[in-house]
Amino acid sequence: MDKQLEPDMKNRLAFLDGNMVPAAPSKPERGQWANKMEFLLAVAGQIIGLGNVWRFPYLCYKNGGGVFFIPYVLFLFTCGIPLFLLETSLGQYTSQGSITCWRKICPLFEGLGYGSQVVVLYSSIYYIIILAWAFFYLFSSFCSELPWANCKNSWNTESCMEFDKARGLSNLTIFENATSPVKEFWERRVLNITGSVYELGNMRWELVLCLLLSWIICYFCVWKGVKSTGKVVYFTATFPYVMLVILLVRGVTLPGAADGIKFYLYPDPARLTDPQVWMDAGTQIFYSYAICIGCLTALGSYNKYNNNCYKDCIYLCLLNSGTSFVAGFAIFSVLGFMANEQKVNISMVAESGPGLAFIAYPRAVAMMPLPQVWAICFFIMIILLGLDSQFVGLEALMTSITDMFPSFFHAGRHRRKLLLFIISVASFFIGLVMVTEGGLYIFQLFDYYACSGMTLLLFAIFQSICIGWIYGADHLYDNIEDMIGYRPLPIIKYCWKYVTPVVCSGTFVFSLIKYSPLKFNNVIAYPWWGYAIGWWFTLSSTLLVPLWMIYAVLSRPGSLQQRLQALCTPASDLPENFSKKNTIYCPPNPEHGLPPPPQTAPEAAAWNNFRDTGPL
């Protein structure tokens, strides 16, 4: 039977004593992307997020400008692209989410699926808080004057100073003790942050409503599975590029933009001797490419069997890195303008993470003509970048759970929607603790420990060992060839076996050596229970891999060798097994008038080996 047919088409008919009879009833319909573009946009929406805008440009400037691309590109080709292809191709080949995928490929490593989905769940709970903040800023931008542009508001203190209007003052002590209106808007109006980790304070009800709005939008983006997700990404994955282009054109035309871009890219080769630069490049690849958290596997599982996932991976990786590079121009051109207006060095205004999105950039926007327009454009871009990363991750989580119980969730029309509703409501209520006045303390615990770089590095090591040495790199290459018709470049195979696990192991060891406990704003230490909660976030996902291995070995019958052999053997219902069975020529029934088969010894022996192991 034709190799390029999808597995479900291959298995619709079975041969029994030469007669072609209907096979057993098929499994409930799982769904597929309507077309290739839906898959590409969904993956692009997942991997191209806030980190491309607020983390990569800052890391580039901080770690030597243009020379940062040397370790970045090295990690991209040794870890990023190989792991990206590994996860996407496994999902497409098995048509399973990230848990059942590993169950079919190598049951011993099924814990990888459980651990990655715990990370996705934690990320879904806290990542959406950023959307709540962004919605608050967006709604605040529809004012006649931006509320963070002046010190005339009820939340401002006596030390508030509009720096761009105070350049003529000579008393430098004023500047040392003063705070900017945008920082006071963030700390006193949006968060009203408490003075201690021990104080949670009251609910910020405006943020609660913004968080509720974010969850409602995410729910309806995912509630019909890939049917709804595939349509929503046409807007959420493309419109941020329109906003980015608008902000880029506006940024490069501002005075001082050239200084900002120079600061962003000016090479400092001496920085390459600092191991932290290499560590930052590696972690940026893992965070930006969404590898080792199971999302790529889930999204790939909805592809058609013969989709060219290899070519898709190359294009998506280049798009992701290219977006990060271009976003740096949009961000640093504006920061250069702000530094020029304030007559200070760019290093004084450059920030990373939420500090860039909610302090530095809004301050720069307030100095532009028609600031409301640029503020609205910027925060719409931030919301859409975060939104599709959020709901695509939620879709991956739902895929993993429903694939574990397909007969239950795919058979009932509303069971999947009910599960999604329960997860969304539970996550919303847990997230409420992060929209209190002390919520930022909890948010940073989630951000630092829940999606830890060390966890992702360990997952990458386990994945590489599993595929490279147990399942077999050549074995997966055979599977990819069966799907796309040719074999990828051999270098990726050697990365799975040697380069990726070595590079990730070295980075993991270095991260352990350089580890330092989280401090709020790098100043305030957390109490012991804060670190206990943080390590729970990390270990509750990481330890699932070895714990599952121990459980799987102990719960199997037989000797230790037999247990390990069974746990390292792929499932019998993978497409390659059906392909082998369906290529055997079946002896026909003369009553049907079919032509007689060529009677050769190898064919007869092959038929005898497989005739009792088919689906009937």
Side-chain angles (χ1 to χ4, degrees):
M1 193 170 287
D2 190 351
K3 202 177 190 180
Q4 298 295 328
L5 290 176
E6 299 171 31
D8 59 335
M9 290 294 294
K10 291 181 179 180
N11 303 316
R12 285 183 184 174
L13 296 173
F15 291 98
L16 184 62
D17 297 330
N19 293 317
M20 193 172 289
V21 297
S26 60
K27 294 180 180 180
E29 181 62 31
R30 186 172 178 275
Q32 283 187 333
W33 301 113
N35 54 62
K36 187 186 189 73
M37 185 58 65
E38 288 187 1
F39 166 70
L40 294 175
L41 291 177
V43 177
Q46 168 65 22
I47 65 177
I48 299 172
L50 299 175
N52 298 74
V53 174
W54 72 22
R55 193 169 189 268
F56 176 84
Y58 178 80
L59 289 180
C60 194
Y61 124 77
K62 170 190 165 187
N63 292 311
V67 299
F68 181 69
F69 288 100
I70 295 175
Y72 180 83
V73 171
L74 183 63
F75 272 96
L76 171 62
F77 284 97
T78 59
C79 296
I81 293 178
L83 290 173
F84 199 99
L85 175 62
L86 185 153
E87 295 187 29
T88 307
S89 60
L90 280 182
Q92 180 171 313
Y93 176 65
T94 61
S95 295
Q96 294 292 314
S98 63
I99 295 176
T100 46
C101 165
W102 292 106
R103 180 186 297 173
K104 287 180 175 292
I105 292 295
C106 184
L108 184 65
F109 285 81
E110 189 177 334
L112 275 171
Y114 294 112
S116 65
Q117 293 317 292
V118 170
V119 172
V120 172
L121 179 61
Y122 289 156
S123 301
S124 298
I125 292 172
Y126 90 90
Y127 189 83
I128 200 169
I129 304 298
I130 300 171
L131 297 184
W133 295 337
F135 271 118
F136 189 97
Y137 270 82
L138 177 64
F139 298 147
S140 300
S141 300
F142 291 93
C143 298
S144 57
E145 185 177 6
L146 293 179
W148 59 82
N150 60 70
C151 296
K152 304 172 185 177
N153 305 287
S154 59
W155 59 83
N156 292 126
T157 64
E158 294 180 356
S159 59
C160 179
M161 176 171 290
E162 301 174 36
F163 291 101
D164 55 319
K165 298 178 182 179
R167 285 176 293 171
L169 297 178
S170 58
N171 188 354
L172 295 181
T173 58
I174 296 178
F175 289 90
E176 292 174 3
N177 299 324
T179 57
S180 66
V182 67
K183 187 174 182 180
E184 290 199 351
F185 179 81
W186 166 244
E187 293 182 351
R188 297 176 60 83
R189 176 67 182 93
V190 180
L191 303 177
N192 195 26
I193 190 167
T194 59
S196 169
V197 180
Y198 297 92
E199 302 175 36
L200 274 182
N202 300 317
M203 289 281 184
R204 302 292 294 163
W205 291 106
E206 292 156 311
L207 288 180
V208 171
L209 294 176
C210 291
L211 179 62
L212 179 61
L213 173 63
S214 302
W215 270 114
I216 291 174
I217 294 174
C218 286
Y219 176 82
F220 284 106
C221 287
V222 184
W223 76 314
K224 288 188 177 180
V226 290
K227 292 182 180 179
S228 57
T229 304
K231 302 300 181 291
V232 173
V233 291
Y234 276 102
F235 175 73
T236 59
T238 57
F239 195 69
Y241 282 97
V242 177
M243 296 291 98
L244 183 61
V245 169
I246 292 173
L247 294 172
L248 175 63
V249 172
R250 179 56 183 145
V252 297
T253 57
L254 292 169
D259 295 331
I261 294 172
K262 179 181 177 181
F263 199 75
Y264 166 49
L265 293 177
Y266 188 78
D268 181 10
R271 295 288 291 137
L272 290 177
T273 60
D274 185 356
Q276 186 62 45
V277 174
W278 298 80
M279 178 70 181
D280 286 343
T283 53
Q284 175 62 18
I285 290 294
F286 277 84
Y287 288 133
S288 179
Y289 280 80
I291 49 183
C292 301
I293 59 174
C295 292
L296 298 176
T297 303
L299 296 177
S301 71
Y302 292 108
N303 277 334
K304 295 180 179 178
Y305 185 74
N306 60 354
N307 175 66
N308 194 331
C309 55
Y310 175 56
K311 187 181 294 185
D312 292 346
C313 289
I314 301 298
Y315 290 157
L316 287 166
C317 289
L318 294 178
L319 176 66
N320 187 22
S321 295
T323 301
S324 298
F325 180 67
V326 173
F329 287 91
I331 296 300
F332 271 87
S333 60
V334 173
L335 295 182
F337 160 74
M338 184 167 67
N340 180 69
E341 288 291 301
Q342 296 181 359
K343 305 301 181 185
V344 296
N345 190 276
I346 299 177
S347 61
M348 301 294 293
V349 299
E351 294 193 54
S352 177
L356 171 66
F358 301 114
I359 297 178
Y361 207 93
R363 182 192 297 176
V365 164
M367 299 177 183
M368 299 181 189
L370 300 175
Q372 293 87 347
V373 174
W374 308 114
I376 291 170
C377 288
F378 177 73
F379 287 111
I380 287 177
M381 181 184 73
I382 292 294
I383 289 170
L384 293 179
L385 285 174
L387 182 63
D388 48 14
S389 296
Q390 173 73 18
F391 73 71
V392 171
L394 198 59
E395 173 63 43
L397 178 62
M398 291 297 302
T399 297
S400 298
I401 297 174
T402 55
D403 281 347
M404 293 176 67
F405 311 99
S407 59
F408 179 79
F409 285 108
H410 295 308
R413 184 176 181 181
H414 299 293
R415 292 172 183 175
R416 186 185 187 278
K417 297 177 184 177
L418 180 59
L419 174 64
L420 176 63
F421 180 77
I422 293 172
I423 292 176
S424 300
V425 171
S427 299
F428 168 74
F429 279 108
I430 296 173
L432 288 179
V433 73
M434 285 178 274
V435 290
T436 59
E437 293 174 337
L440 191 61
Y441 301 114
I442 309 299
F443 176 86
Q444 288 203 357
L445 276 178
F446 268 90
D447 189 47
Y448 194 80
Y449 291 101
C451 194
S452 167
M454 289 188 286
T455 298
L456 300 183
L457 287 168
L458 278 176
F459 286 171
I461 296 168
F462 283 126
Q463 285 187 183
S464 301
I465 293 174
C466 177
I467 296 301
W469 295 98
I470 299 178
Y471 184 76
D474 286 314
H475 194 175
L476 184 56
Y477 258 47
D478 292 338
N479 302 148
I480 295 175
E481 182 181 14
D482 188 60
M483 292 188 291
I484 69 175
Y486 62 93
R487 299 173 78 85
L489 291 174
I491 188 174
I492 297 180
K493 175 176 63 177
Y494 296 117
C495 284
W496 291 339
K497 297 183 69 173
Y498 307 107
V499 182
T500 302
V502 170
V503 171
C504 291
S505 298
T507 309
F508 176 76
V509 171
F510 178 75
S511 64
L512 282 179
I513 296 172
K514 297 287 287 185
Y515 168 77
S516 59
L518 172 66
K519 290 185 178 180
F520 182 75
N521 288 340
N522 296 319
V523 176
I524 303 174
Y526 281 79
W528 68 267
W529 51 263
Y531 294 120
I533 293 173
W535 278 107
W536 163 259
F537 291 149
T538 299
L539 297 178
S540 60
S541 58
T542 308
L543 290 181
L544 284 177
V545 181
L547 289 177
W548 174 264
M549 290 180 176
I550 296 171
Y551 166 76
V553 170
L554 293 178
S555 61
R556 287 266 177 173
S559 65
L560 179 61
Q561 182 179 358
Q562 290 172 332
R563 297 177 190 184
L564 292 176
Q565 184 176 1
L567 290 170
C568 295
T569 301
S572 60
D573 60 348
L574 288 173
E576 63 179 353
N577 298 321
F578 287 116
S579 179
K580 290 176 183 176
K581 294 177 187 179
N582 286 312
T583 55
I584 301 300
Y585 194 95
C586 305
N589 189 326
E591 296 178 3
H592 293 173
L594 299 175
Q599 297 297 323
T600 63
E603 287 176 358
W607 168 250
N608 289 331
N609 288 337
F610 280 106
R611 63 181 303 171
D612 294 329
T613 59
L616 296 180

